[in-house]
Amino acid sequence: MLMTSCSDDLLDPIVTDPGIESPTEEKTELPSSVSLSGYKVVRSSKASKDMISASVKFKNTLEETVKDVGIGDDWYKSGETLPEKALEILVGETNRPETAEIMADLLADDFAIKHFPESGRIVVCGGSYEATLKAMEHFIEFCLKDGGIEYGL
């Protein structure tokens, strides 16, 4: 099962199978935290009613500690170009390339949380609806602190 943690890699997936050793690699110097103020929770425009409800609940929970959190879907008008950078928390399967990159490696019970500093986007997703709910719970419980996400927890 693939789990994540708010580590020095800020939300990079960490394999929790005790039989697998993590590779040792040099860490890049990262800021100590990222403010979530101004971020928007984004879910698929084709999301189920349950996923829409879970996204709203996630956004409302974020608002308890983060100011100015928006919500919406991933729909773009035909011919419109997706911005390279956006303050988005991508929940579940979306049409964003960051989500596709993470989803490609997930099994049904796996979930992942990853920050993409280049685009500003944060992916919170799972290999199934239930796993995505676990990812949202993990994000709230372990990654959210003082209106942002912290590195090195």
Side-chain angles (χ1 to χ4, degrees), residues 98-134:
E98 294 88 350
T99 302
E101 178 181 323
I102 299 300
M103 295 288 295
D105 295 326
L106 295 181
L107 299 175
D109 293 331
D110 296 344
F111 69 90
I113 298 167
K114 184 171 181 177
H115 177 234
F116 288 82
E118 312 80 33
S119 69
R121 292 181 175 94
I122 299 168
V123 176
V124 179
C125 66
S128 64
Y129 169 72
E130 292 78 13
T132 297
L133 292 179
K134 288 178 187 175

PDB file of all heavy atoms in Angstrom, residues 98-134:
ATOM      1  N   GLU A  98      -0.813  16.852 -13.462  1.00  0.00           N
ATOM      2  CA  GLU A  98      -0.249  16.446 -12.174  1.00  0.00           C
ATOM      3  C   GLU A  98      -1.024  15.266 -11.591  1.00  0.00           C
ATOM      4  O   GLU A  98      -0.443  14.334 -11.034  1.00  0.00           O
ATOM      5  CB  GLU A  98      -0.250  17.623 -11.185  1.00  0.00           C
ATOM      6  CG  GLU A  98       0.664  18.761 -11.564  1.00  0.00           C
ATOM      7  CD  GLU A  98       0.018  19.807 -12.468  1.00  0.00           C
ATOM      8  OE1 GLU A  98      -1.103  19.573 -12.973  1.00  0.00           O
ATOM      9  OE2 GLU A  98       0.628  20.865 -12.686  1.00  0.00           O
ATOM     10  N   THR A  99      -2.346  15.299 -11.727  1.00  0.00           N
ATOM     11  CA  THR A  99      -3.171  14.191 -11.238  1.00  0.00           C
ATOM     12  C   THR A  99      -2.880  12.927 -12.032  1.00  0.00           C
ATOM     13  O   THR A  99      -2.712  11.847 -11.466  1.00  0.00           O
ATOM     14  CB  THR A  99      -4.670  14.533 -11.328  1.00  0.00           C
ATOM     15  OG1 THR A  99      -4.937  15.710 -10.568  1.00  0.00           O
ATOM     16  CG2 THR A  99      -5.529  13.395 -10.798  1.00  0.00           C
ATOM     17  N   ALA A 100      -2.799  13.056 -13.356  1.00  0.00           N
ATOM     18  CA  ALA A 100      -2.532  11.890 -14.206  1.00  0.00           C
ATOM     19  C   ALA A 100      -1.197  11.253 -13.839  1.00  0.00           C
ATOM     20  O   ALA A 100      -1.080  10.018 -13.789  1.00  0.00           O
ATOM     21  CB  ALA A 100      -2.542  12.303 -15.675  1.00  0.00           C
ATOM     22  N   GLU A 101      -0.194  12.065 -13.555  1.00  0.00           N
ATOM     23  CA  GLU A 101       1.128  11.546 -13.179  1.00  0.00           C
ATOM     24  C   GLU A 101       1.049  10.692 -11.913  1.00  0.00           C
ATOM     25  O   GLU A 101       1.631   9.616 -11.842  1.00  0.00           O
ATOM     26  CB  GLU A 101       2.095  12.717 -12.958  1.00  0.00           C
ATOM     27  CG  GLU A 101       3.477  12.298 -12.520  1.00  0.00           C
ATOM     28  CD  GLU A 101       4.394  13.478 -12.285  1.00  0.00           C
ATOM     29  OE1 GLU A 101       4.321  14.476 -13.038  1.00  0.00           O
ATOM     30  OE2 GLU A 101       5.195  13.392 -11.334  1.00  0.00           O
ATOM     31  N   ILE A 102       0.300  11.160 -10.917  1.00  0.00           N
ATOM     32  CA  ILE A 102       0.178  10.434  -9.650  1.00  0.00           C
ATOM     33  C   ILE A 102      -0.733   9.217  -9.806  1.00  0.00           C
ATOM     34  O   ILE A 102      -0.427   8.127  -9.332  1.00  0.00           O
ATOM     35  CB  ILE A 102      -0.358  11.356  -8.537  1.00  0.00           C
ATOM     36  CG1 ILE A 102       0.600  12.530  -8.301  1.00  0.00           C
ATOM     37  CG2 ILE A 102      -0.612  10.584  -7.253  1.00  0.00           C
ATOM     38  CD1 ILE A 102       1.991  12.141  -7.884  1.00  0.00           C
ATOM     39  N   MET A 103      -1.857   9.374 -10.474  1.00  0.00           N
ATOM     40  CA  MET A 103      -2.838   8.290 -10.626  1.00  0.00           C
ATOM     41  C   MET A 103      -2.259   7.085 -11.369  1.00  0.00           C
ATOM     42  O   MET A 103      -2.680   5.951 -11.132  1.00  0.00           O
ATOM     43  CB  MET A 103      -4.091   8.782 -11.360  1.00  0.00           C
ATOM     44  CG  MET A 103      -4.901   9.826 -10.628  1.00  0.00           C
ATOM     45  SD  MET A 103      -5.800   9.209  -9.204  1.00  0.00           S
ATOM     46  CE  MET A 103      -6.964   8.095  -9.939  1.00  0.00           C
ATOM     47  N   ALA A 104      -1.302   7.306 -12.244  1.00  0.00           N
ATOM     48  CA  ALA A 104      -0.732   6.225 -13.053  1.00  0.00           C
ATOM     49  C   ALA A 104      -0.140   5.103 -12.200  1.00  0.00           C
ATOM     50  O   ALA A 104      -0.122   3.951 -12.625  1.00  0.00           O
ATOM     51  CB  ALA A 104       0.331   6.788 -13.990  1.00  0.00           C
ATOM     52  N   ASP A 105       0.336   5.421 -11.006  1.00  0.00           N
ATOM     53  CA  ASP A 105       1.003   4.433 -10.156  1.00  0.00           C
ATOM     54  C   ASP A 105       0.150   3.931  -8.997  1.00  0.00           C
ATOM     55  O   ASP A 105       0.644   3.143  -8.185  1.00  0.00           O
ATOM     56  CB  ASP A 105       2.299   5.027  -9.589  1.00  0.00           C
ATOM     57  CG  ASP A 105       3.311   5.327 -10.680  1.00  0.00           C
ATOM     58  OD1 ASP A 105       3.345   4.572 -11.669  1.00  0.00           O
ATOM     59  OD2 ASP A 105       4.059   6.307 -10.551  1.00  0.00           O
ATOM     60  N   LEU A 106      -1.093   4.365  -8.883  1.00  0.00           N
ATOM     61  CA  LEU A 106      -1.910   3.993  -7.731  1.00  0.00           C
ATOM     62  C   LEU A 106      -2.736   2.735  -7.974  1.00  0.00           C
ATOM     63  O   LEU A 106      -3.354   2.579  -9.028  1.00  0.00           O
ATOM     64  CB  LEU A 106      -2.864   5.136  -7.361  1.00  0.00           C
ATOM     65  CG  LEU A 106      -2.230   6.426  -6.864  1.00  0.00           C
ATOM     66  CD1 LEU A 106      -3.327   7.441  -6.526  1.00  0.00           C
ATOM     67  CD2 LEU A 106      -1.338   6.195  -5.669  1.00  0.00           C
ATOM     68  N   LEU A 107      -2.758   1.862  -6.974  1.00  0.00           N
ATOM     69  CA  LEU A 107      -3.676   0.733  -6.965  1.00  0.00           C
ATOM     70  C   LEU A 107      -4.951   1.186  -6.261  1.00  0.00           C
ATOM     71  O   LEU A 107      -4.988   2.277  -5.671  1.00  0.00           O
ATOM     72  CB  LEU A 107      -3.046  -0.454  -6.238  1.00  0.00           C
ATOM     73  CG  LEU A 107      -1.748  -0.986  -6.851  1.00  0.00           C
ATOM     74  CD1 LEU A 107      -1.157  -2.081  -5.985  1.00  0.00           C
ATOM     75  CD2 LEU A 107      -1.974  -1.458  -8.273  1.00  0.00           C
ATOM     76  N   ALA A 108      -5.992   0.381  -6.261  1.00  0.00           N
ATOM     77  CA  ALA A 108      -7.296   0.772  -5.717  1.00  0.00           C
ATOM     78  C   ALA A 108      -7.234   1.277  -4.279  1.00  0.00           C
ATOM     79  O   ALA A 108      -7.900   2.240  -3.936  1.00  0.00           O
ATOM     80  CB  ALA A 108      -8.282  -0.388  -5.828  1.00  0.00           C
ATOM     81  N   ASP A 109      -6.436   0.648  -3.415  1.00  0.00           N
ATOM     82  CA  ASP A 109      -6.386   1.046  -2.003  1.00  0.00           C
ATOM     83  C   ASP A 109      -5.313   2.082  -1.697  1.00  0.00           C
ATOM     84  O   ASP A 109      -5.167   2.496  -0.552  1.00  0.00           O
ATOM     85  CB  ASP A 109      -6.158  -0.182  -1.115  1.00  0.00           C
ATOM     86  CG  ASP A 109      -7.348  -1.118  -1.136  1.00  0.00           C
ATOM     87  OD1 ASP A 109      -8.487  -0.656  -1.337  1.00  0.00           O
ATOM     88  OD2 ASP A 109      -7.128  -2.326  -0.943  1.00  0.00           O
ATOM     89  N   ASP A 110      -4.540   2.482  -2.700  1.00  0.00           N
ATOM     90  CA  ASP A 110      -3.456   3.448  -2.498  1.00  0.00           C
ATOM     91  C   ASP A 110      -3.974   4.868  -2.544  1.00  0.00           C
ATOM     92  O   ASP A 110      -4.963   5.169  -3.216  1.00  0.00           O
ATOM     93  CB  ASP A 110      -2.399   3.309  -3.606  1.00  0.00           C
ATOM     94  CG  ASP A 110      -1.691   1.988  -3.607  1.00  0.00           C
ATOM     95  OD1 ASP A 110      -1.766   1.262  -2.600  1.00  0.00           O
ATOM     96  OD2 ASP A 110      -1.053   1.679  -4.626  1.00  0.00           O
ATOM     97  N   PHE A 111      -3.271   5.748  -1.841  1.00  0.00           N
ATOM     98  CA  PHE A 111      -3.541   7.165  -2.002  1.00  0.00           C
ATOM     99  C   PHE A 111      -2.223   7.916  -1.977  1.00  0.00           C
ATOM    100  O   PHE A 111      -1.215   7.398  -1.511  1.00  0.00           O
ATOM    101  CB  PHE A 111      -4.518   7.710  -0.962  1.00  0.00           C
ATOM    102  CG  PHE A 111      -3.992   7.773   0.454  1.00  0.00           C
ATOM    103  CD1 PHE A 111      -3.339   8.896   0.919  1.00  0.00           C
ATOM    104  CD2 PHE A 111      -4.188   6.721   1.326  1.00  0.00           C
ATOM    105  CE1 PHE A 111      -2.890   8.973   2.220  1.00  0.00           C
ATOM    106  CE2 PHE A 111      -3.726   6.780   2.627  1.00  0.00           C
ATOM    107  CZ  PHE A 111      -3.078   7.901   3.082  1.00  0.00           C
ATOM    108  N   ALA A 112      -2.252   9.119  -2.505  1.00  0.00           N
ATOM    109  CA  ALA A 112      -1.041   9.930  -2.562  1.00  0.00           C
ATOM    110  C   ALA A 112      -1.398  11.396  -2.397  1.00  0.00           C
ATOM    111  O   ALA A 112      -2.499  11.828  -2.751  1.00  0.00           O
ATOM    112  CB  ALA A 112      -0.315   9.711  -3.877  1.00  0.00           C
ATOM    113  N   ILE A 113      -0.440  12.124  -1.862  1.00  0.00           N
ATOM    114  CA  ILE A 113      -0.552  13.573  -1.701  1.00  0.00           C
ATOM    115  C   ILE A 113       0.783  14.134  -2.164  1.00  0.00           C
ATOM    116  O   ILE A 113       1.828  13.702  -1.690  1.00  0.00           O
ATOM    117  CB  ILE A 113      -0.799  13.953  -0.231  1.00  0.00           C
ATOM    118  CG1 ILE A 113      -2.108  13.352   0.264  1.00  0.00           C
ATOM    119  CG2 ILE A 113      -0.781  15.470  -0.061  1.00  0.00           C
ATOM    120  CD1 ILE A 113      -2.286  13.404   1.771  1.00  0.00           C
ATOM    121  N   LYS A 114       0.747  15.035  -3.117  1.00  0.00           N
ATOM    122  CA  LYS A 114       2.001  15.583  -3.616  1.00  0.00           C
ATOM    123  C   LYS A 114       1.830  17.039  -4.005  1.00  0.00           C
ATOM    124  O   LYS A 114       0.859  17.406  -4.646  1.00  0.00           O
ATOM    125  CB  LYS A 114       2.511  14.785  -4.814  1.00  0.00           C
ATOM    126  CG  LYS A 114       3.860  15.284  -5.291  1.00  0.00           C
ATOM    127  CD  LYS A 114       4.504  14.405  -6.316  1.00  0.00           C
ATOM    128  CE  LYS A 114       5.855  14.992  -6.700  1.00  0.00           C
ATOM    129  NZ  LYS A 114       6.584  14.184  -7.645  1.00  0.00           N
ATOM    130  N   HIS A 115       2.816  17.829  -3.629  1.00  0.00           N
ATOM    131  CA  HIS A 115       2.883  19.238  -4.011  1.00  0.00           C
ATOM    132  C   HIS A 115       3.793  19.354  -5.222  1.00  0.00           C
ATOM    133  O   HIS A 115       4.871  18.761  -5.245  1.00  0.00           O
ATOM    134  CB  HIS A 115       3.441  20.053  -2.841  1.00  0.00           C
ATOM    135  CG  HIS A 115       3.625  21.498  -3.156  1.00  0.00           C
ATOM    136  ND1 HIS A 115       4.816  22.134  -2.965  1.00  0.00           N
ATOM    137  CD2 HIS A 115       2.767  22.428  -3.628  1.00  0.00           C
ATOM    138  CE1 HIS A 115       4.689  23.407  -3.296  1.00  0.00           C
ATOM    139  NE2 HIS A 115       3.459  23.604  -3.712  1.00  0.00           N
ATOM    140  N   PHE A 116       3.352  20.086  -6.228  1.00  0.00           N
ATOM    141  CA  PHE A 116       4.157  20.363  -7.415  1.00  0.00           C
ATOM    142  C   PHE A 116       4.555  21.837  -7.362  1.00  0.00           C
ATOM    143  O   PHE A 116       3.799  22.710  -7.797  1.00  0.00           O
ATOM    144  CB  PHE A 116       3.354  20.072  -8.690  1.00  0.00           C
ATOM    145  CG  PHE A 116       3.131  18.617  -8.951  1.00  0.00           C
ATOM    146  CD1 PHE A 116       2.097  17.931  -8.320  1.00  0.00           C
ATOM    147  CD2 PHE A 116       3.960  17.924  -9.814  1.00  0.00           C
ATOM    148  CE1 PHE A 116       1.895  16.580  -8.554  1.00  0.00           C
ATOM    149  CE2 PHE A 116       3.762  16.566 -10.053  1.00  0.00           C
ATOM    150  CZ  PHE A 116       2.731  15.893  -9.420  1.00  0.00           C
ATOM    151  N   PRO A 117       5.727  22.140  -6.800  1.00  0.00           N
ATOM    152  CA  PRO A 117       6.125  23.543  -6.631  1.00  0.00           C
ATOM    153  C   PRO A 117       6.171  24.330  -7.942  1.00  0.00           C
ATOM    154  O   PRO A 117       5.884  25.527  -7.951  1.00  0.00           O
ATOM    155  CB  PRO A 117       7.524  23.463  -6.007  1.00  0.00           C
ATOM    156  CG  PRO A 117       7.650  22.098  -5.456  1.00  0.00           C
ATOM    157  CD  PRO A 117       6.743  21.225  -6.272  1.00  0.00           C
ATOM    158  N   GLU A 118       6.500  23.654  -9.052  1.00  0.00           N
ATOM    159  CA  GLU A 118       6.609  24.352 -10.338  1.00  0.00           C
ATOM    160  C   GLU A 118       5.271  24.937 -10.776  1.00  0.00           C
ATOM    161  O   GLU A 118       5.217  26.025 -11.340  1.00  0.00           O
ATOM    162  CB  GLU A 118       7.111  23.408 -11.445  1.00  0.00           C
ATOM    163  CG  GLU A 118       8.322  22.579 -11.099  1.00  0.00           C
ATOM    164  CD  GLU A 118       7.998  21.351 -10.247  1.00  0.00           C
ATOM    165  OE1 GLU A 118       6.912  20.748 -10.375  1.00  0.00           O
ATOM    166  OE2 GLU A 118       8.848  21.010  -9.414  1.00  0.00           O
ATOM    167  N   SER A 119       4.182  24.202 -10.553  1.00  0.00           N
ATOM    168  CA  SER A 119       2.859  24.664 -10.984  1.00  0.00           C
ATOM    169  C   SER A 119       2.050  25.254  -9.831  1.00  0.00           C
ATOM    170  O   SER A 119       1.053  25.927 -10.065  1.00  0.00           O
ATOM    171  CB  SER A 119       2.059  23.521 -11.608  1.00  0.00           C
ATOM    172  OG  SER A 119       1.702  22.559 -10.635  1.00  0.00           O
ATOM    173  N   GLY A 120       2.460  24.966  -8.603  1.00  0.00           N
ATOM    174  CA  GLY A 120       1.701  25.411  -7.439  1.00  0.00           C
ATOM    175  C   GLY A 120       0.591  24.454  -7.038  1.00  0.00           C
ATOM    176  O   GLY A 120      -0.013  24.598  -5.989  1.00  0.00           O
ATOM    177  N   ARG A 121       0.326  23.452  -7.858  1.00  0.00           N
ATOM    178  CA  ARG A 121      -0.775  22.533  -7.588  1.00  0.00           C
ATOM    179  C   ARG A 121      -0.399  21.491  -6.538  1.00  0.00           C
ATOM    180  O   ARG A 121       0.760  21.104  -6.420  1.00  0.00           O
ATOM    181  CB  ARG A 121      -1.208  21.836  -8.881  1.00  0.00           C
ATOM    182  CG  ARG A 121      -1.861  22.786  -9.867  1.00  0.00           C
ATOM    183  CD  ARG A 121      -2.310  22.066 -11.130  1.00  0.00           C
ATOM    184  NE  ARG A 121      -3.023  22.980 -11.991  1.00  0.00           N
ATOM    185  CZ  ARG A 121      -2.445  23.678 -12.984  1.00  0.00           C
ATOM    186  NH1 ARG A 121      -1.164  23.533 -13.243  1.00  0.00           N
ATOM    187  NH2 ARG A 121      -3.167  24.500 -13.721  1.00  0.00           N
ATOM    188  N   ILE A 122      -1.416  21.050  -5.797  1.00  0.00           N
ATOM    189  CA  ILE A 122      -1.279  19.980  -4.815  1.00  0.00           C
ATOM    190  C   ILE A 122      -2.281  18.903  -5.216  1.00  0.00           C
ATOM    191  O   ILE A 122      -3.463  19.192  -5.422  1.00  0.00           O
ATOM    192  CB  ILE A 122      -1.593  20.483  -3.394  1.00  0.00           C
ATOM    193  CG1 ILE A 122      -0.624  21.600  -3.004  1.00  0.00           C
ATOM    194  CG2 ILE A 122      -1.550  19.323  -2.392  1.00  0.00           C
ATOM    195  CD1 ILE A 122      -1.016  22.345  -1.750  1.00  0.00           C
ATOM    196  N   VAL A 123      -1.807  17.664  -5.331  1.00  0.00           N
ATOM    197  CA  VAL A 123      -2.681  16.539  -5.692  1.00  0.00           C
ATOM    198  C   VAL A 123      -3.001  15.755  -4.426  1.00  0.00           C
ATOM    199  O   VAL A 123      -2.105  15.400  -3.664  1.00  0.00           O
ATOM    200  CB  VAL A 123      -2.012  15.614  -6.732  1.00  0.00           C
ATOM    201  CG1 VAL A 123      -2.889  14.405  -7.026  1.00  0.00           C
ATOM    202  CG2 VAL A 123      -1.708  16.384  -8.005  1.00  0.00           C
ATOM    203  N   VAL A 124      -4.291  15.503  -4.207  1.00  0.00           N
ATOM    204  CA  VAL A 124      -4.780  14.686  -3.091  1.00  0.00           C
ATOM    205  C   VAL A 124      -5.723  13.672  -3.728  1.00  0.00           C
ATOM    206  O   VAL A 124      -6.854  14.006  -4.076  1.00  0.00           O
ATOM    207  CB  VAL A 124      -5.532  15.558  -2.047  1.00  0.00           C
ATOM    208  CG1 VAL A 124      -6.063  14.698  -0.913  1.00  0.00           C
ATOM    209  CG2 VAL A 124      -4.645  16.684  -1.524  1.00  0.00           C
ATOM    210  N   CYS A 125      -5.216  12.448  -3.942  1.00  0.00           N
ATOM    211  CA  CYS A 125      -6.034  11.490  -4.678  1.00  0.00           C
ATOM    212  C   CYS A 125      -5.777  10.061  -4.227  1.00  0.00           C
ATOM    213  O   CYS A 125      -4.820   9.790  -3.502  1.00  0.00           O
ATOM    214  CB  CYS A 125      -5.794  11.609  -6.179  1.00  0.00           C
ATOM    215  SG  CYS A 125      -4.139  11.133  -6.696  1.00  0.00           S
ATOM    216  N   GLY A 126      -6.650   9.162  -4.681  1.00  0.00           N
ATOM    217  CA  GLY A 126      -6.514   7.751  -4.381  1.00  0.00           C
ATOM    218  C   GLY A 126      -6.879   6.917  -5.591  1.00  0.00           C
ATOM    219  O   GLY A 126      -7.447   7.429  -6.550  1.00  0.00           O
ATOM    220  N   GLY A 127      -6.575   5.634  -5.492  1.00  0.00           N
ATOM    221  CA  GLY A 127      -6.890   4.716  -6.571  1.00  0.00           C
ATOM    222  C   GLY A 127      -8.360   4.348  -6.646  1.00  0.00           C
ATOM    223  O   GLY A 127      -8.792   3.676  -7.581  1.00  0.00           O
ATOM    224  N   SER A 128      -9.139   4.803  -5.680  1.00  0.00           N
ATOM    225  CA  SER A 128     -10.586   4.589  -5.643  1.00  0.00           C
ATOM    226  C   SER A 128     -11.206   5.756  -4.875  1.00  0.00           C
ATOM    227  O   SER A 128     -10.494   6.559  -4.262  1.00  0.00           O
ATOM    228  CB  SER A 128     -10.914   3.268  -4.931  1.00  0.00           C
ATOM    229  OG  SER A 128     -10.508   3.337  -3.578  1.00  0.00           O
ATOM    230  N   TYR A 129     -12.516   5.818  -4.879  1.00  0.00           N
ATOM    231  CA  TYR A 129     -13.214   6.858  -4.116  1.00  0.00           C
ATOM    232  C   TYR A 129     -12.844   6.772  -2.640  1.00  0.00           C
ATOM    233  O   TYR A 129     -12.512   7.776  -2.009  1.00  0.00           O
ATOM    234  CB  TYR A 129     -14.728   6.715  -4.316  1.00  0.00           C
ATOM    235  CG  TYR A 129     -15.540   7.566  -3.375  1.00  0.00           C
ATOM    236  CD1 TYR A 129     -15.605   8.951  -3.533  1.00  0.00           C
ATOM    237  CD2 TYR A 129     -16.231   6.993  -2.304  1.00  0.00           C
ATOM    238  CE1 TYR A 129     -16.344   9.735  -2.661  1.00  0.00           C
ATOM    239  CE2 TYR A 129     -16.970   7.773  -1.433  1.00  0.00           C
ATOM    240  CZ  TYR A 129     -17.019   9.141  -1.612  1.00  0.00           C
ATOM    241  OH  TYR A 129     -17.737   9.924  -0.743  1.00  0.00           O
ATOM    242  N   GLU A 130     -12.871   5.552  -2.091  1.00  0.00           N
ATOM    243  CA  GLU A 130     -12.561   5.355  -0.668  1.00  0.00           C
ATOM    244  C   GLU A 130     -11.125   5.771  -0.357  1.00  0.00           C
ATOM    245  O   GLU A 130     -10.858   6.374   0.678  1.00  0.00           O
ATOM    246  CB  GLU A 130     -12.789   3.891  -0.256  1.00  0.00           C
ATOM    247  CG  GLU A 130     -14.243   3.459  -0.273  1.00  0.00           C
ATOM    248  CD  GLU A 130     -14.801   3.155  -1.676  1.00  0.00           C
ATOM    249  OE1 GLU A 130     -14.014   3.037  -2.654  1.00  0.00           O
ATOM    250  OE2 GLU A 130     -16.034   3.062  -1.787  1.00  0.00           O
ATOM    251  N   ALA A 131     -10.202   5.443  -1.239  1.00  0.00           N
ATOM    252  CA  ALA A 131      -8.797   5.827  -1.031  1.00  0.00           C
ATOM    253  C   ALA A 131      -8.625   7.338  -1.126  1.00  0.00           C
ATOM    254  O   ALA A 131      -7.817   7.924  -0.401  1.00  0.00           O
ATOM    255  CB  ALA A 131      -7.898   5.107  -2.026  1.00  0.00           C
ATOM    256  N   THR A 132      -9.392   7.992  -1.999  1.00  0.00           N
ATOM    257  CA  THR A 132      -9.337   9.453  -2.087  1.00  0.00           C
ATOM    258  C   THR A 132      -9.838  10.078  -0.787  1.00  0.00           C
ATOM    259  O   THR A 132      -9.262  11.056  -0.295  1.00  0.00           O
ATOM    260  CB  THR A 132     -10.140   9.969  -3.295  1.00  0.00           C
ATOM    261  OG1 THR A 132      -9.537   9.453  -4.489  1.00  0.00           O
ATOM    262  CG2 THR A 132     -10.166  11.485  -3.356  1.00  0.00           C
ATOM    263  N   LEU A 133     -10.882   9.495  -0.191  1.00  0.00           N
ATOM    264  CA  LEU A 133     -11.360   9.985   1.101  1.00  0.00           C
ATOM    265  C   LEU A 133     -10.258   9.861   2.153  1.00  0.00           C
ATOM    266  O   LEU A 133     -10.055  10.773   2.962  1.00  0.00           O
ATOM    267  CB  LEU A 133     -12.595   9.216   1.554  1.00  0.00           C
ATOM    268  CG  LEU A 133     -13.873   9.413   0.746  1.00  0.00           C
ATOM    269  CD1 LEU A 133     -14.995   8.549   1.327  1.00  0.00           C
ATOM    270  CD2 LEU A 133     -14.280  10.867   0.688  1.00  0.00           C
ATOM    271  N   LYS A 134      -9.520   8.743   2.133  1.00  0.00           N
ATOM    272  CA  LYS A 134      -8.402   8.561   3.069  1.00  0.00           C
ATOM    273  C   LYS A 134      -7.325   9.609   2.837  1.00  0.00           C
ATOM    274  O   LYS A 134      -6.729  10.122   3.784  1.00  0.00           O
ATOM    275  CB  LYS A 134      -7.803   7.159   2.924  1.00  0.00           C
ATOM    276  CG  LYS A 134      -8.685   6.062   3.457  1.00  0.00           C
ATOM    277  CD  LYS A 134      -8.035   4.697   3.241  1.00  0.00           C
ATOM    278  CE  LYS A 134      -8.977   3.585   3.622  1.00  0.00           C
ATOM    279  NZ  LYS A 134      -8.428   2.260   3.306  1.00  0.00           N
TER     280      LYS A 134
END
